[in-house]
Amino acid sequence: MASNNGATAPDGVRAVIEQISDDLERYGAANRQVATQTKLLALNAVIEAARAGEAGRSFSVVAHEVQRLAELQAETAATFQRDLLLRIEESRSRVGMLEGARLIDLAEALVQLIVRNLYERTADVRWWATDAALWRALAEPTPEHLAHATERLAIIHRYYTVYSDLVLVDAAGRALANANPVYRPKVMGLDYETAVWFREAMATRGGDQYVAAEVRRSRSQSGRQVLIYGTAVRTGGDTNGAALGALGVYFDWEAQGATIVANEIALSPAERARTTVMLLDGQSRVIASTNPALLFQPFHLETGGQLRGSHVGADGALIAFARTHGYQEYDGMGWTGVVVQR
């Protein structure tokens, strides 16, 4: 969590460490200068004592001792500075570990948040597929039944704003009804027989099963990013009834994904400016990012076979990651939360 002064605890500790390091460097430089000047003065004193002959002999002893003490002081200061720098470097490492652990927790919280949210979408599609208006429209596609199905889908869409559309498709792949009138002309003109979500939904063996497609740009929605959940609509709304067609619900990923990565991690303004937050799908493809230029690009993670962890990238950025462990029976499709901090 961000502290009240706008800096995270690791950031604050790191700032103190860097200040100590800077102060030590200034001290070391000043100390070396004093030691050098002292040795020069001692050397000049030795030379002058030698010129004075017998009268300068006692002064020469003092000059040599000053020279020896100056060298000893320089060695002692150098040893002190070296030892302290080692401790500073160790402190940097410990702060880095602390930062890494914190960012890993943030990455895990991010991915689990969206996975829990999407688990509810699997419940939605299975529930709505049992609606009498839908299976009756598929069993007997009269104008009256189709109008009722369209009305029911529109009502659902009105109250569930996370969806951009809901589409009812018959067994032949023809769309019979949809919720969003904005997309209706395109929806009704598409052949869903080739759509992956439709084929997989029709292949489900019962009403408890569902399918979840990858994040993609929708043909029916002018390329809008969606995440489609689907299941078969069955005779009488019965779990074991024959599949009459399929219901596809279009989760509006373009709006929801961008909001999640932008707003759901607590970062101070300064920290946010040097941080990129991402979600990766099961193929390590960026499906949401605070840097839109990365969207749908592959992202390489050095996981070392771990489900969560952190490492330093080639550019020196700290990369923390956490793969979802799913939620209830929803496996989360192998998604991973990633936080990259420069």
Side-chain angles (χ1 to χ4, degrees):
M1 294 291 292
S3 65
N4 292 334
N5 63 3
T8 62
D11 276 348
V13 174
R14 182 178 291 279
V16 171
I17 291 172
E18 297 306 326
Q19 184 62 56
I20 293 172
S21 179
D22 291 344
D23 290 345
L24 180 62
E25 181 58 37
R26 285 193 293 271
Y27 160 78
N31 186 73
R32 287 190 295 272
Q33 184 177 8
V34 170
T36 299
Q37 290 176 341
T38 302
K39 285 190 284 187
L40 285 174
L41 287 172
L43 179 60
N44 287 335
V46 169
I47 293 172
E48 292 302 322
R51 287 178 179 174
E54 188 64 27
R57 181 174 297 176
S58 59
F59 185 69
S60 176
V61 173
V62 175
H64 279 294
E65 183 63 16
V66 170
Q67 190 175 37
R68 187 186 70 82
L69 289 175
E71 291 172 352
L72 180 61
Q73 182 266 341
E75 291 174 4
T76 301
T79 300
F80 169 76
Q81 186 173 9
R82 182 176 64 251
D83 292 345
L84 192 54
L85 284 173
L86 288 174
R87 288 180 173 81
I88 288 173
E89 193 57 40
E90 181 181 356
S91 298
R92 284 196 183 109
S93 177
R94 291 180 182 274
V95 170
M97 292 173 63
L98 181 61
E99 287 178 332
R102 170 177 167 269
L103 295 184
I104 291 169
D105 289 341
L106 290 177
E108 183 169 16
L110 172 72
V111 72
Q112 286 305 116
L113 173 69
I114 185 59
V115 164
R116 288 192 188 96
N117 185 297
L118 294 180
Y119 166 75
E120 296 177 10
R121 311 289 72 87
T122 72
D124 289 347
V125 69
R126 287 176 287 179
W127 170 34
W128 296 332
T130 66
D131 193 303
L134 303 189
W135 60 260
R136 282 176 180 157
L138 289 171
E140 191 177 348
T142 65
E144 180 182 0
H145 286 165
L146 293 177
H148 189 204
T150 300
E151 180 184 0
R152 288 292 296 158
L153 293 176
I155 290 173
I156 294 171
H157 182 247
R158 183 189 311 163
Y159 295 112
Y160 286 81
T161 56
V162 295
Y163 296 106
S164 57
D165 205 357
L166 297 86
V167 179
L168 181 66
V169 182
D170 69 14
R174 295 172 301 180
L176 299 185
N178 83 308
N180 193 336
V182 173
Y183 301 126
R184 190 162 296 148
K186 285 191 176 182
V187 167
M188 294 306 177
L190 288 178
D191 178 7
Y192 284 86
E193 188 176 15
T194 61
V196 174
W197 75 263
F198 170 75
R199 295 201 310 267
E200 292 181 350
M202 292 297 294
T204 55
R205 296 187 298 275
D208 291 334
Q209 295 185 334
Y210 65 90
V211 298
E214 296 178 347
V215 174
R216 66 185 64 186
R217 299 188 184 277
S218 170
R219 294 183 299 168
S220 65
Q221 299 178 28
S222 303
R224 191 170 184 82
Q225 301 161 32
V226 298
L227 181 58
I228 306 174
Y229 287 84
T231 193
V233 178
R234 300 179 181 276
T235 302
D238 185 12
T239 299
N240 298 313
L244 300 172
L247 173 66
V249 297
Y250 287 59
F251 185 75
D252 190 0
W253 184 255
E254 186 151 328
Q256 304 301 322
T259 298
I260 287 168
V261 295
N263 300 331
E264 294 300 333
I265 286 186
L267 299 171
S268 68
E271 193 178 17
R272 191 177 297 278
R274 59 187 180 87
T275 303
T276 301
V277 181
M278 294 180 284
L279 281 170
L280 310 183
D281 66 11
Q283 287 71 50
S284 295
R285 186 181 55 139
V286 179
I287 54 175
S289 176
T290 51
N291 180 1
L294 300 176
L295 202 60
F296 297 124
Q297 301 298 315
F299 187 86
H300 176 66
L301 274 178
E302 297 178 10
T303 65
Q306 302 298 310
L307 298 181
R308 63 197 308 270
S310 65
H311 66 274
V312 177
D315 60 354
L318 181 60
I319 303 172
F321 64 90
R323 183 171 177 171
T324 179
H325 42 78
Y327 185 71
Q328 297 193 21
E329 74 268 20
Y330 183 58
D331 65 6
M333 301 189 293
W335 286 13
T336 301
V338 179
V339 180
V340 180
Q341 197 163 86
R342 297 175 296 280

